Amino acid sequence: MKEIQARNVLLIRAIELCDADAAILPREDRQWASGTARAQAPPDGSLDSGSRVPNAAQQNFLAGRAELLRARLSNRRVELLPFDLLARWPHWLYWALPLAAFLLGALTDEMTAGRRVNILSLPLLTMLAWNALVYLLLILNVLGRLLGMRTRSAALAQLLTRTTRISGSSQTRLPKGSPLHASLARFGRDWLAFSGPQMAQRGACILHLSAALLTAGTLGGMYLRGLGLEYLAGWESTFLNADVLERLLHLVLGPASRLTGIPLATAAELAAIEWSGPHTGENAARWIHLYAATATLFIILPRLLLAAAAAGRAYRLQQRFPLMDQDEPYLRRLLAGPNDASRLVSVTPYSYHPSAAAQQRLHDLLHGALGQAGRIEFAPTVPYGSEQEYLDLLGDTAGDTRNPAALHIVLFSAAATPEHEIHGTLMEEIQRLLTQRKDHSQLLAILDEAPYRQRLAGQAGAAERLAERRRGWQQMLQQHQAQLLALDLGADNDAADSVRAQLQNIVLQQG
């Protein structure tokens, strides 16, 4: 999937997950886009658990669906420019930073002091040492990848994801707290997470190119100033003598000397240009040529090659943008086929026997939230005190991958008082067993408020007592890291769309 297609997929995903009431993207539009994209680019059957990323046909389906929904949003004049600005890479960095580096190098004149050139204090020596350190870090980075360690690129991507703040209010007039504003914030976080590797490669390309041009600018400035002025080369040192300096220069400038044919100074020649005596030095031309050739060999050419390699990797990532795993709940829902067994939803009532009408209402709500793909099965009620038998049965089927449930729902009655030792422990144990599986099953608790509402019917303060009971369940399960959705399965269908939206939003964001 190309970068622009992945951007649209993440944009639509952010809006769908944050637009719980379908105010921005009506459910009819979502279903129409899914059906149209499925007809144009069938997602090639059910999900493949052996592959972590969607295949080509599935990616084409996702890209086509996102493009259709983006067109609908544009027709409704939904403000999408902030999303595009947030994901847009500043291409001017490719020329602005390298040009600034070149000018900085060209203006560097630290090598001269009164037309005297100290061959030990050339800025190129510092550049050579710095680039040697960079090459060492790059080698260690490659070795770290081979050994499975976290690489510099991965660390950079994670740092960008954690530290970059999404300032939507400064980029757009979207009202804070609106679904579109929340969508922009989520899209920004997701985009940083998924585009991190590509951003790292683009940044590496710019840095390598800037380093090469900084060196080229420094060399160009040396030659330009040498046209109108004669510089005399010499040296002075507190710790080095001519013999030690000869060995050092053979190490640093030896390859350039062999390449250019310019001989290196002997110890006697170096002693003759030492500034500690009456000597004034020699013409600096050969030293400038030697350092220029050395910098070209060890800085400019390697950095240009590294920049080209990073640009190539960035281009490949742009053409094959890394998308989320197909096990991500949002993708599983969209890619699930009509006969996809992985969309099985298992509903287990606990110490509560829901009526046939309540089961049918929950069945309809689940279908509305999760789509028509897959099946919804109601398991027998788990009696109070029989929790261990149910957990043993669930554990026995942990290795059965023939028909795994994608979503496990435990149905509680609000008529029961929430108990940490019973209800909380049960949810923790179920989550532990599901975590041991390899099928990415999800867990959700649903609280049916209908039995308690019926018990309180006609009593004073019924609404307050029901709200208090709901808060008790929410606080209890929250302490056990369990997701809860409170529903009234005995109510009419006036609020069906709102309830479906809440259920869809919770389920899609799990995992």
Side-chain angles (χ1 to χ4, degrees), residues 165-278:
R165 297 184 300 176
I166 306 303
S167 54
S169 58
S170 64
Q171 303 182 38
T172 177
R173 295 184 299 273
L174 299 177
K176 291 185 178 180
S178 66
L180 198 58
H181 188 276
S183 301
L184 177 63
R186 175 158 193 145
F187 171 75
R189 293 191 299 269
D190 292 343
W191 182 254
L192 285 175
F194 288 106
S195 65
Q198 186 183 35
M199 291 172 59
Q201 294 304 323
R202 287 174 171 172
C205 174
I206 293 174
L207 291 177
H208 289 311
L209 189 58
S210 298
L213 289 185
L214 175 66
T215 306
T218 303
L219 296 177
M222 291 167 60
Y223 279 103
L224 183 62
R225 284 184 289 272
L227 291 176
L229 298 172
E230 181 185 11
Y231 288 104
L232 299 177
W235 66 280
E236 57 185 356
S237 174
T238 302
F239 303 104
L240 302 180
N241 55 37
D243 293 328
V244 175
L245 181 58
E246 179 187 20
R247 291 193 293 270
L248 177 62
L249 292 178
H250 272 78
L251 176 65
V252 176
L253 303 179
S257 176
R258 289 189 290 272
L259 179 66
T260 61
I262 300 175
L264 293 172
T266 63
E269 292 174 332
L270 290 172
I273 61 174
E274 185 177 5
W275 284 334
S276 58

Side-chain angles (χ1 to χ4, degrees), residues 50 84 109 146 151 166 212 280 284 299 335 378 397 401 426 433 453 480:
D84 295 335
D109 197 22
L146 294 177
T151 64
I166 306 303
T280 59
I299 300 179
L335 297 176
F378 282 82
T397 60
T401 59
L426 175 63
L433 292 174
R453 185 184 297 276
H480 293 272

Side-chain angles (χ1 to χ4, degrees), residues 10 29 64 70 152 167 258 274 293 303 423 454 466 510:
L10 292 176
D29 285 359
R70 182 187 174 99
R152 178 175 54 87
S167 54
R258 289 189 290 272
E274 185 177 5
R303 287 292 194 140
H423 306 103
Q454 293 171 4
L466 179 60
Q510 287 193 1

Side-chain angles (χ1 to χ4, degrees), residues 100-134:
F102 179 83
L103 294 176
L104 177 63
L107 296 175
T108 298
D109 197 22
E110 294 181 0
M111 59 167 286
T112 63
R115 299 189 184 183
R116 289 160 52 120
V117 177
N118 189 340
I119 61 178
L120 286 179
S121 63
L122 284 171
L124 288 174
L125 281 176
T126 303
M127 294 182 185
L128 287 171
W130 168 252
N131 281 271
L133 177 61
V134 170

Side-chain angles (χ1 to χ4, degrees), residues 18 25-26 65 96 152 157 176 225 249 286 294-295 319 430 435 450 452 475 479 494 507 511:
C18 296
L25 267 180
R65 180 181 183 272
R152 178 175 54 87
K176 291 185 178 180
R225 284 184 289 272
L249 292 178
R286 71 162 170 172
T294 300
Q319 298 302 310
I430 296 175
T435 302
Y452 195 50
Q475 293 172 1
Q479 294 181 23
D494 292 342
V507 171

Side-chain angles (χ1 to χ4, degrees), residues 346-362:
S346 174
V347 181
T348 304
Y350 174 78
S351 188
Y352 161 54
H353 295 275
S355 65
Q359 292 188 36
Q360 184 60 48
R361 176 163 171 75
L362 180 56

